[in-house]
């Protein structure tokens, strides 16, 4: 029996507009083990949220399309599941914490009713009293007094709203939790509290989690494994130790670490990665990072590298580590 809860194989996702076709995900392979927390890291536009929306099958209707690949959740291919099947799976087997708690809750319904909605959908035989007891339990679990369940979202702070979102996501004990930058819209003083609570609840409910974030410090704190995304591809993956302590890295990963401020040094400017991500409607034929890479040679723009093992679980998509015909060696 596989130790992986989720396996994504050769996933291609596009967005179709009147003018162009946007290649958002391009051959993504990813696995999440049972009970594991995987950090998905990359700059804006890398495809992180598209990955989560594809797993949830919440891509924009008639705009976003899964063109190829499999999303296997314990043997069920979510990429080919019917809408009726997905309605049963969402919230029950896989749940998502969205990025902005301010817009994720319905302003005209009480928070208790919004938690109860998920419970009623997936437990149709439960009595009203059982549902109310479960709502109370979930409110208390995320640190909000149960007697506040009759209040409306505008009566809660941003951090409290995010706690309600987490209560909704965890109410049916999902196997997989997708957290899309869950602390980005929160004040820095409560980000640590929310992250610690998420980690504790994940352990309590025995769920696996994919954490989407820009913050490598958060990844180092709570993630077991890490995948670095760039232009719709996974370009480096491994355990947290591989990424943070390994000797070999993709040039993009080196750039991400180089952009982190060093509190022990005085400097006038940060060190950004020069250039911009390629236009997703006209991706280059070779390495997607070619134009921005300080280690490139002439062949990098013509040859698209494959994912190569570096050591143990550590893999990197770069010709320096996976020689192509006429290419470089490490």
């Amino acid at each position: 029996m596989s130790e992986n809860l989720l396996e994504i194989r050769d996933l291609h996702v596009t967005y179709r507009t009147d003018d162009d076709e946007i290649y958002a995900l391009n051959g993504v392979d990813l696995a999440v083990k049972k009970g594991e927390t995987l950090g998905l890291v990359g700059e804006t536009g890398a495809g992180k949220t598209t990955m989560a929306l594809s797993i949830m099958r919440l891509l924009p209707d008639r705009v976003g399309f899964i063109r190829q690949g499999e999303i296997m959740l314990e043997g069920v291919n979510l990429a080919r599941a019917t809408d009726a099947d997905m309605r049963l799976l969402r919230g029950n087997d896989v749940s998502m914490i969205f990025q902005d708690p301010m817009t994720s809750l319905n302003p005209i319904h009480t928070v208790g009713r919004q938690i109860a909605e998920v419970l009623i959908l997936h437990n149709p035989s439960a009595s009203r009293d059982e549902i109310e007891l479960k709502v109370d339990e979930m409110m208390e679990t995320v640190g909000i007094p149960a007697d506040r369940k009759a209040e409306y979202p505008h009566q809660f702070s941003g951090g409290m709203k995010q706690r309600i979102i987490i209560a909704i996501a965890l109410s049916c004990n999902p196997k997989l939790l997708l957290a899309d930058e869950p602390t980005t819209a929160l004040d820095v003083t409560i980000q640590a509290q929310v992250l610690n609570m998420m980690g504790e609840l994940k352990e309590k409910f025995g769920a696996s989690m994919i954490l989407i974030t820009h913050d490598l410090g958060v990844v180092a704190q709570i993630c077991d494994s890490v995948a670095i995304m760039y232009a719709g591809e996974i370009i480096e993956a491994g355990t947290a130790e591989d990424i943070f302590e390994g000797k070999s890295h993709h040039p993009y990963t080196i750039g991400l670490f180089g952009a982190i401020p060093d509190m022990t040094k005085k400097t006038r400017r940060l060190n950004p990665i020069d250039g911009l991500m390629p236009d997703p409607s006209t991706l280059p034929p070779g390495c997607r990072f070619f134009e921005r890479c300080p280690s490139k040679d002439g062949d990098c723009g013509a040859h698209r590298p494959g994912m190569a093992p570096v050591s143990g679980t550590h893999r990197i998509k770069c010709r320096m580590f996976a020689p192509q015909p006429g290419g470089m060696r490490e």
Side-chain angles (χ1 to χ4, degrees), residues 136-209:
D136 292 349
E137 177 188 337
M138 292 309 302
M139 294 277 288
E140 297 286 351
T141 297
V142 297
I144 300 176
D147 58 13
R148 296 196 65 184
K149 65 183 178 182
E151 297 182 16
Y152 292 85
H154 73 271
Q155 295 175 275
F156 293 85
S157 67
M160 299 283 267
K161 286 189 182 77
Q162 192 62 289
R163 288 171 181 263
I164 296 295
I165 296 295
I166 293 170
I168 293 172
L170 292 174
S171 59
C172 290
N173 300 350
K175 300 171 185 175
L176 177 64
L177 180 64
L178 309 175
D180 187 4
E181 300 187 39
T183 62
T184 298
L186 304 181
D187 189 282
V188 292
T189 58
I190 59 173
Q191 286 187 11
Q193 296 176 18
V194 171
L195 286 170
N196 288 336
M197 182 191 68
M198 286 176 57
E200 292 170 0
L201 293 176
K202 184 189 82 71
E203 294 297 328
K204 177 180 177 180
F205 291 102
S208 300
M209 180 166 69

Side-chain angles (χ1 to χ4, degrees), residues 2-232:
S2 175
E3 63 178 357
N4 293 329
L5 175 71
L6 177 75
E7 294 183 5
I8 297 176
R9 305 167 188 154
D10 194 30
L11 183 63
H12 292 255
V13 175
T14 62
Y15 293 107
R16 183 187 299 161
T17 69
D18 291 338
D19 300 319
D20 291 301
E21 188 163 16
I22 307 301
Y23 300 95
L25 295 180
N26 307 290
V28 170
D29 293 297
L30 189 70
V32 181
K33 296 179 181 178
K34 295 174 182 177
E36 178 184 57
T37 298
L38 181 141
L40 198 58
V41 181
E43 61 191 296
T44 299
K48 305 184 301 298
T49 298
T50 295
M51 175 95 73
L53 294 177
S54 299
I55 296 170
M56 293 290 290
R57 288 282 303 279
L58 290 175
L59 293 168
D61 192 29
R62 296 186 295 276
V63 175
F65 302 91
I66 296 175
R67 295 298 190 190
Q68 182 178 322
E70 298 179 334
I71 306 171
M72 305 300 296
L73 182 68
E74 289 196 322
V76 178
N77 187 0
L78 303 185
R80 299 290 175 260
T82 65
D83 291 342
D85 289 338
M86 286 307 303
R87 281 193 291 271
L88 295 176
L89 289 168
R90 290 189 203 106
N92 197 43
D93 291 284
V94 55
S95 290
M96 186 167 177
I97 301 171
F98 293 93
Q99 185 170 348
D100 187 1
M102 312 300 177
T103 58
S104 297
L105 294 170
N106 191 322
I108 65 172
H109 294 308
T110 65
V111 296
R113 177 176 176 181
Q114 294 183 63
I115 297 173
E117 182 179 8
V118 183
L119 294 166
I120 293 169
L121 176 64
H122 294 293
N123 301 276
S125 62
S127 68
R128 181 172 179 177
D129 288 342
E130 289 173 331
I131 294 295
E132 289 301 315
L133 283 173
K134 185 64 175 179
V135 170
D136 292 349
E137 177 188 337
M138 292 309 302
M139 294 277 288
E140 297 286 351
T141 297
V142 297
I144 300 176
D147 58 13
R148 296 196 65 184
K149 65 183 178 182
E151 297 182 16
Y152 292 85
H154 73 271
Q155 295 175 275
F156 293 85
S157 67
M160 299 283 267
K161 286 189 182 77
Q162 192 62 289
R163 288 171 181 263
I164 296 295
I165 296 295
I166 293 170
I168 293 172
L170 292 174
S171 59
C172 290
N173 300 350
K175 300 171 185 175
L176 177 64
L177 180 64
L178 309 175
D180 187 4
E181 300 187 39
T183 62
T184 298
L186 304 181
D187 189 282
V188 292
T189 58
I190 59 173
Q191 286 187 11
Q193 296 176 18
V194 171
L195 286 170
N196 288 336
M197 182 191 68
M198 286 176 57
E200 292 170 0
L201 293 176
K202 184 189 82 71
E203 294 297 328
K204 177 180 177 180
F205 291 102
S208 300
M209 180 166 69
I210 296 178
L211 175 66
I212 297 171
T213 182
H214 292 101
D215 193 332
L216 287 167
V218 169
V219 172
Q221 178 185 350
I222 68 172
C223 292
D224 303 304
S225 59
V226 184
I228 309 292
M229 286 200 74
Y230 184 80

Side-chain angles (χ1 to χ4, degrees), residues 250-251 286-287 290 295-306 308 316-330:
H250 192 283
C287 175
F290 173 72
S295 304
K296 65 187 176 186
D297 74 358
D299 289 330
C300 290
H303 299 284
R304 189 176 177 189
I316 299 175
K317 183 177 283 190
C318 178
R319 291 178 61 249
M320 291 190 292
F321 304 97
Q324 304 293 322
M328 300 178 291
R329 289 188 178 273
E330 184 179 359

Side-chain angles (χ1 to χ4, degrees), residues 193-303:
Q193 296 176 18
V194 171
L195 286 170
N196 288 336
M197 182 191 68
M198 286 176 57
E200 292 170 0
L201 293 176
K202 184 189 82 71
E203 294 297 328
K204 177 180 177 180
F205 291 102
S208 300
M209 180 166 69
I210 296 178
L211 175 66
I212 297 171
T213 182
H214 292 101
D215 193 332
L216 287 167
V218 169
V219 172
Q221 178 185 350
I222 68 172
C223 292
D224 303 304
S225 59
V226 184
I228 309 292
M229 286 200 74
Y230 184 80
E233 297 181 343
I234 303 293
I235 52 91
E236 184 168 355
T239 64
E241 289 79 10
D242 292 333
I243 304 302
F244 287 90
E245 299 178 7
K247 295 180 180 179
S248 301
H249 293 294
H250 192 283
Y252 178 65
T253 307
I254 295 172
L256 289 179
F257 279 107
I260 299 174
D262 188 340
M263 302 304 291
T264 65
K265 297 179 182 178
K266 186 176 182 179
T267 181
R268 294 181 60 189
R269 294 178 61 88
L270 299 177
N271 297 308
I273 302 173
D274 293 334
L276 298 172
M277 197 178 297
D279 184 343
S281 64
T282 55
L283 291 169
C287 175
R288 308 297 196 222
F289 192 59
F290 173 72
E291 293 295 338
R292 306 172 73 182
C293 183
S295 304
K296 65 187 176 186
D297 74 358
D299 289 330
C300 290
H303 299 284

